[in-house]
């Protein structure tokens, strides 16, 4: 459960650490699911910053806020599912790990 919340506060660095350091399959699966969300969203955040700088500040701000809201909501959902014993896959993103 905490791996999903750690992704909110520490980004994908904490998730990589948990994924590599964990011996438990359930924890490793949850860390992989969280990484599958946070890695692509980090790339998207970089693109959003570029859009905000070069194209339109309001458009970049709107995209950034929507990504942040989705990340918080999906991380909380995944954390609750993990607490209940289920490994929840984040929607829309590819399975990288």
């Amino acid at each position: 459960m905490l791996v999903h919340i750690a992704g909110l506060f520490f980004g994908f660095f904490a998730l990589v650490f948990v994924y590599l350091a964990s011996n438990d399959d359930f924890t490793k699966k949850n860390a992989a699911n969280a990484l599958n969300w946070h890695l692509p969203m980090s790339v998207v955040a970089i693109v959003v910053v570029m859009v905000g700088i070069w194209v339109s500040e309001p458009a970049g701000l709107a995209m950034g806020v929507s990504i942040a809201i989705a990340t918080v909501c999906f991380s909380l959902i995944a954390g609750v599912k993990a607490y209940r014993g289920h490994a929840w896959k984040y929607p829309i993103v590819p399975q990288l790990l």
Side-chain angles (χ1 to χ4, degrees):
M1 173 189 155
L2 291 178
V3 70
H4 298 285
I5 307 305
L8 287 175
F9 293 107
F10 303 111
F12 62 87
F13 298 110
L15 302 175
V16 169
F17 176 76
V18 170
Y19 183 77
L20 295 175
S22 177
N23 293 328
D24 183 44
D25 288 335
F26 183 69
T27 304
K28 210 169 188 96
K29 186 182 284 188
N30 276 294
N33 288 341
L35 273 169
N36 285 335
W37 174 263
H38 286 279
L39 286 175
M41 288 305 114
S42 296
V43 173
V44 170
I46 292 169
V47 171
V48 164
V49 168
M50 287 189 236
V51 167
I53 291 172
W54 289 307
V55 178
S56 169
E57 224 174 276
L61 181 64
M63 288 188 293
V65 168
S66 63
I67 290 169
I69 290 171
T71 298
V72 169
C73 290
F74 289 156
S75 294
L76 291 175
I77 291 168
V80 170
K81 295 281 187 175
Y83 180 75
R84 293 181 179 167
H86 305 287
W88 186 68
K89 292 182 181 178
Y90 288 74
I92 306 169
V93 294
Q95 298 300 311
L96 303 172
L97 300 175

